[in-house]
Every structure is written in structure tokens, then in C-alpha cells.
Amino acid sequence: MLTQAPKGTQDLLPQASHRWQRIEKSMRDVCALAGYREIRTPVFEHTELFQRGVGDTTDVVQKEMYTFNDKGNRSITLKPEGTAGAVRAFIEAHLYADTLPCKLYYVSCPCFRYEKPQSGRLRQFHQNGIEVFGAKDASVDAEIIALALKVLAANGIDGLRLNINSIGCPTCRKAYLEKLKDYLAPKLPGLCKTCQERFERNPMRILDCKEDADKLVDAPAMLDNLCEDCAGHFEKLKTYLQALGIEYAVDARIVRGLDYYTKTVFEIITDTPEGVPLTVCGGGRYDGLVEELGGPATPGIGWGMGIERMIMVQDMRGIGEEAPAPLDALVVTLGDEARAEGVKLVNALRERGVRADLDHAARSMKAQFKYANKLGVKKVVVIAGDELERGVVKLRDMEKSEETEVPMDEIASRF
Ligand code: ATP
Ligand code: MG
């Protein structure tokens, strides 16, 4: 127990951290170019925020949340996703009073869901995400989709499938839900228990059920029942995606997990070698959410992208970059006097931006070279013997196995 991480969690080990850093950097770069700014919200929030913000009838809230009472007896929940916290912060800090749209992104946001751990499904995972407040035109829907694809492409991940749908707004959904319930009612006894529970509170989610999907293929789709405004929005989105040269498929069956989604919803998915679809990024518009959580009516839209799933796709495709050597130079020394010079030299090299170190384990000369090899260091500086008296050091190119003598005071400039 003591030396085993809790089920569904993973360490990010130093051999892999460069891959995360690349993903995080690409997210920052892509977002900055489009005028987005970073937001970081707490890892935990009041439970009520997620009940309202993610939705009482969702799997996330009903089954997957890490909820506990703190010592002050407040119900606290570790965040299962990034949107609710961002909306809460947007309202609390009155960001709606600033110039809109408010374009936000977050990087490697830890998320917690009590799910059955399996491939691609962790209990603590991390999301990059985008949220935009105060932009109602479909051009922003297309923009955030384009940005998601850019972040993926910047990490060597292309050729994923983009599926889009519209799940309407409260206006058109009302009439549609009646239609849907009329369709579902006679089928209800044959559906799973969860679906039966959803029938009254959130019948649209029944269409999302993996167990019952086959029985519901001819269900009426929201997409065919959109009001003029929603239909127009969806047409515009398609036009903008075409203008950007982004391929997509319309999938009328995407419902999405969260309750307050309106209009556009989308997923970016790929197939695993086992043939199971893997969603790397999911998002949508939530025009009702800011108001639902107590702010002024403000349209919103966003997505979340699972970092562990990006890495999974990279691994599936064999494009995970190897870890670079952690150092440019190792300073190898013999004797105490040389070591003192070594300490100085390492410091001088670092000041010049050269990643340098010396052996801190007091190894023999031979072992220090072995150490350099293990680290994959390309250059070794040797400070030893009479060279020290002559004020020179040896610079050894480990790849070419060549050595040159360099005056001590010039060595730093050789990098
Ligand atoms: P799924 O259909 O796979 O359960 P979801 O609809 O629950 O996904 P979202 O809530 O949209 O997922 O979260 C956005 C992204 O976060 C997902 O596309 C995925 O990349 C990632 N993600 C969600 N749940 C997990 C998890 N348990 N472990 C790892 N990554 C996850
Ligand atoms: Mg899920």
C-alpha cells in the first residue's frame, strides 16, 4: 500500500515530463496567438457548484465525484472538469464587466472522477481547456475547434475525426423533448435502469447510453427539430469550418455529458487498436450556464482535452519523443583543488545558459565518464593534474571521442 499510488492515479516520471511540457507549451503558444489568457481555479470547489454547473442528472455528478465534508463540515468536491470553476470565477471576479469576449485557457488542470480505472480512464487526469464568455457568433465555435486541432497537430496528432452536432436551446428543446418522450415511453420497460431514471429528468441523456444505443437508432434527433436561431447557428458553424478547411462529420447522436450545453457540441475522436473510440477532446456551447450560476446572461463555449489521452494517441502511433539529455556538459574533476575549480566552472556555465553539472557522488574519474555516458551528455570538461597548474582544461566531445585543450578562462565561451 505504502509504495503504491492510489488506483486510477499516475505519477508523471522524469523520463516523460518533457512530453507533458511540450503539450503544455503548445497549448500556451496556440492560445496566446488567438488572444486567450490563462486562468487557474482551485482544485476543489463547493459541491453545489458542480451539482448546478455540471448538472444533477449527469453521470459525473451522480456517480463520479470526489465529494467529502471538510473539517468545517462544508461539502467540498475535487473538480471533475474545468468549466464550472471558470464560470464561477468569471462571475465572482465580475469579469463580465470587462471587455468581452473573455477568452480563457487552462493548462494541465487536474480533474478527478471516481470511474472504473481502465485504459484511458483515470481517477485523476489532466485537461487543457478553453472557455470563451460573451461571444455568441458561431465564428467562435469554429475558432475553438480550430485551436483544439492546432494543439493536437502541434503534438504530432492529426487525422482525428471531428464530429459536430447541435443540441438546440431551451426554446426548441422543449417541444423536442415531448416528441422524444412520446417515442421513448413505450420502449422504457426494455431500457436499462439508469435510462428509466433519466426519462423524467433528462430524457436526452438516454440517447447517450452505451447499453441501449442499439434499441434507439430511430429516435427523433434534436438536430432535425432545431428552431430557426439554432439551425442558423449550426449552418454558420459549418460554413466557417469549411472556410478553415476543417473536415467534420455531423453526428446527431452526440449529446455530451453536461446538462447546460446548448447549440454546438463536438468531439474529436480516434479509434484505438482494439477498435474502441477514444475521445481526446470534447466541448460545446453553454449559453445558459453563467446565468444558471447566478451571473448575468452571457453566452459561453469551451472544450476540454485529456492530456493522458493525447499521450496515449502518441504512443499508439509511436510518435512519443524520446527524453533529451538532461545536461549539455558534465564537468569531470580529479582531486580537491580541481573540484573547487569545477564548482566555479559549473556555475559560470549555467550563468551562460549551458545546462551543466559535476559529479556530486564523489565517484572515481572512470565512473564520472560512465556517468556522463549514461546521461547522454555530449561534452565533458576535464579538470585534472598538471593542466590545472597550466590553467587549461580538456574539452572532450563524447560523440566524436575527440579532446582539445582549452584555456580555463575560455571554456565557458566554447558553449
Ligand atoms: P468519455 O466519453 O471518454 O467518458 P467525457 O465525455 O466524460 O469522456 P469530458 O467530460 O468531455 O469527457 O472531458 C473532456 C476530456 O477529458 C475527454 O475528452 C477526455 O480526453 C478527458 N477525460 C475525461 N474523463 C477522463 C478520465 N476518466 N481519464 C482520462 N481522461 C479523461
Ligand atoms: Mg465520462
Side-chain angles (χ1 to χ4, degrees), residues 8 54 59-60 64 80-81 111-128 205 208 210 256-258 261 266-269 277-283 303-310 312:
V54 178
D59 277 357
V60 170
E64 298 172 0
E81 51 90 58
C111 298
F112 304 85
R113 296 187 194 176
Y114 196 79
E115 301 205 68
K116 201 167 148 234
Q118 50 187 291
S119 166
R121 214 164 275 288
L122 292 156
R123 290 183 172 172
Q124 177 177 344
F125 60 99
H126 299 80
Q127 280 184 356
N128 283 345
R205 298 266 313 146
D208 204 26
K210 295 192 173 91
R256 303 277 313 138
L258 320 185
Y261 275 115
F266 67 92
E267 288 173 352
I268 301 174
I269 62 180
L278 183 78
T279 311
V280 181
C281 178
W303 52 250
M305 186 182 287
I307 299 194
E308 288 85 352
R309 292 205 186 164
M310 287 177 77
M312 249 179 100

Side-chain angles (χ1 to χ4, degrees), residues 321-336:
E321 244 176 61
E322 261 185 57
L327 294 174
D328 303 314
L330 186 76
V331 176
V332 164
T333 62
L334 182 67
D336 288 345

